Amino acid sequence: MANKRLKRTGMPSDLCERLNKYQIVSCQDFLSLSPLELMRLTGQSLQKVFTLVKTVSAACAPKMVTALDMKTARRSQPSKAFFPTSLIGLDELLHGGLACGTLTEVTGPSGCGKTQFCIMLSVLATLPIDMGGLNGAVIYIDTESAFSAERLVEIARNRFPEYFSSEQNLIEMTRRIHLSRELTCLDVLKRVESLEDDIIMNGVRLIIVDSVASVVRKEFDTRLQGNLLERSNLLCREAAMLKFLAEEFSIPIILTNQITTRLSQDYTGLSQLNTGAGVAPMTADSGVNLDEHSGYTTAALGNTWSHSVNTRLIMQYLDYHRRQVKVVNQIHP
């Protein structure tokens, strides 16, 4: 909540503009300053500064609600509670689709269709509500340069041929998907921390980060001293900001992850790699050639990250043409 923009706290717009010149844009930036610094930067008296601090503090402090309030709010807005994936079996398991206001992780071996799934969801999010969509824009953060505009159009035309037979509908859909290519951990974090204004200005109803693991695993060798702690801190900051955005704007956020392998105790001579929650038995279809007693696959990034997501979906190979999606855990706020 401390990352909330000052312009959304009720502070006068002229003061927001003045503070923005000093790179003071969030509640955290504002509340980190002393009263004397705030007097100097705002040009206000000490009494008015205290009033501003009180206003900003109230705006970013978590509001206390009862369980009944949460239940009533979800029931009063059923159309906003879930985002159907259009995959009937999956939506049934998810009780209606991907829960808005939560983080959903999609993990699985390379090439199993995680990016294609995300592209399909991007198309769905732009559709009218009466077609199962969210009638909004999409922010797609691509860390692997895997997003393809051609594939986007192909999926749209194949899934909804009648609707996208109209060139106007196709153009409108592509305009609503905002792609951002970020290739370092710091770039991704900065982009996530700047999303609030984009969500408001563009009417964003879905955020996708594809993938979280790719940049993290390239930059952090957890065998080196201090790297594991630094990685965990970065992931915690990223997850906290994404959770705030999901809850604040009641939107679903999709994150893709990679898999890692944990070797059994009996598999001597080999080190044990990082593990996370939601393990799945390793099979030949997983694309990793290990004996079934030697190890198993699990989502990458470890326990700290696995506890940050609300729902974890694991994609697996059934055969060359078919994939299976498993719901491993589902925790709604």
Side-chain angles (χ1 to χ4, degrees):
M1 298 292 283
N3 288 300
K4 178 180 281 189
R5 292 296 189 261
L6 288 174
K7 63 178 68 175
R8 298 183 57 233
T9 64
M11 183 181 289
S13 58
D14 59 327
L15 277 182
C16 291
E17 291 297 328
R18 181 168 180 165
L19 290 169
N20 188 54
K21 294 177 182 178
Y22 300 98
Q23 287 78 50
I24 302 169
V25 296
S26 70
C27 294
Q28 182 174 358
D29 297 335
F30 184 86
L31 296 175
S32 298
L33 300 173
S34 69
L36 290 179
E37 288 174 314
L38 290 174
M39 288 175 63
R40 178 175 62 83
L41 296 176
T42 63
Q44 303 292 310
S45 67
L46 182 60
Q47 184 178 359
K48 288 186 177 180
V49 163
F50 282 142
T51 301
L52 288 174
V53 169
K54 185 177 180 180
T55 299
V56 173
S57 298
C60 71
K63 305 297 188 296
M64 183 177 290
V65 297
T66 66
L68 179 61
D69 292 334
M70 295 175 66
K71 184 177 180 181
T72 303
R74 187 167 286 275
R75 283 186 172 179
S76 66
Q77 297 179 315
S79 63
K80 296 182 180 180
F82 294 97
F83 171 35
T85 67
S86 78
L87 303 176
I88 297 173
L90 180 58
D91 288 336
E92 287 179 355
L93 286 175
L94 295 173
H95 308 290
L98 304 177
C100 296
T102 68
L103 307 186
T104 298
E105 180 193 76
V106 182
T107 189
S110 176
C112 68
K114 299 186 296 293
T115 296
Q116 304 303 312
F117 182 65
C118 290
I119 292 175
M120 181 192 74
L121 292 177
S122 299
V123 173
L124 289 171
T126 66
L127 294 175
I129 292 175
D130 59 7
M131 291 182 66
L134 297 174
N135 193 31
V138 178
I139 290 178
Y140 196 116
I141 300 176
D142 179 16
T143 69
E144 296 183 306
S145 299
F147 183 91
S148 166
E150 291 76 14
R151 185 63 178 141
L152 174 75
V153 171
E154 182 182 359
I155 289 174
R157 284 175 167 162
N158 287 339
R159 297 283 293 179
F160 304 96
E162 292 185 7
Y163 185 77
F164 288 112
S165 62
S166 165
E167 193 68 19
Q168 183 176 352
N169 288 344
L170 196 62
I171 292 173
E172 180 61 24
M173 181 270 292
T174 55
R175 279 179 177 167
R176 285 183 160 191
I177 297 175
H178 305 270
L179 180 68
S180 177
R181 286 206 162 104
E182 311 296 348
L183 302 179
T184 70
C185 291
L186 188 58
D187 288 340
V188 173
L189 182 60
K190 286 182 177 179
R191 185 71 187 100
V192 167
E193 291 178 341
S194 70
L195 288 179
E196 188 173 346
D197 289 338
D198 290 333
I199 292 172
I200 297 169
M201 289 188 296
N202 297 313
V204 172
R205 300 301 305 156
L206 174 67
I207 295 173
I208 294 172
V209 182
D210 180 26
S211 88
V212 175
S214 63
V215 288
V216 173
R217 297 178 91 183
K218 281 186 290 187
E219 293 186 33
F220 291 96
D221 183 349
T222 55
R223 294 170 297 180
L224 300 179
Q225 187 176 6
N227 270 10
L228 183 58
L229 178 60
E230 186 179 352
R231 187 186 80 166
S232 295
N233 289 338
L234 182 141
L235 288 171
C236 284
R237 286 179 60 188
E238 192 171 315
M241 187 63 200
L242 289 169
K243 279 193 169 185
F244 162 71
L245 295 173
E247 294 172 5
E248 182 75 3
F249 297 100
S250 189
I251 60 177
I253 295 183
I254 315 300
L255 313 159
T256 67
N257 194 0
Q258 298 172 350
I259 60 171
T260 189
T261 305
R262 181 177 181 180
L263 303 176
S264 70
Q265 301 263 342
D266 297 331
Y267 210 63
T268 57
L270 294 174
S271 62
Q272 189 166 290
L273 303 181
N274 291 331
T275 63
V279 296
M282 181 173 291
T283 66
D285 290 333
S286 67
V288 183
N289 185 23
L290 281 178
D291 179 80
E292 62 176 350
H293 300 297
S294 65
Y296 54 81
T297 58
T298 182
L301 303 183
N303 285 324
T304 301
W305 175 257
S306 68
H307 292 309
S308 299
V309 299
N310 301 98
T311 302
R312 170 169 284 167
L313 307 179
I314 292 184
M315 284 192 153
Q316 298 181 160
Y317 292 97
L318 284 180
D319 53 39
Y320 185 77
H321 297 288
R322 296 182 302 161
R323 305 291 185 267
Q324 180 185 60
V325 181
K326 290 186 176 182
V327 180
V328 177
N329 63 291
Q330 186 179 16
I331 305 173
H332 294 170

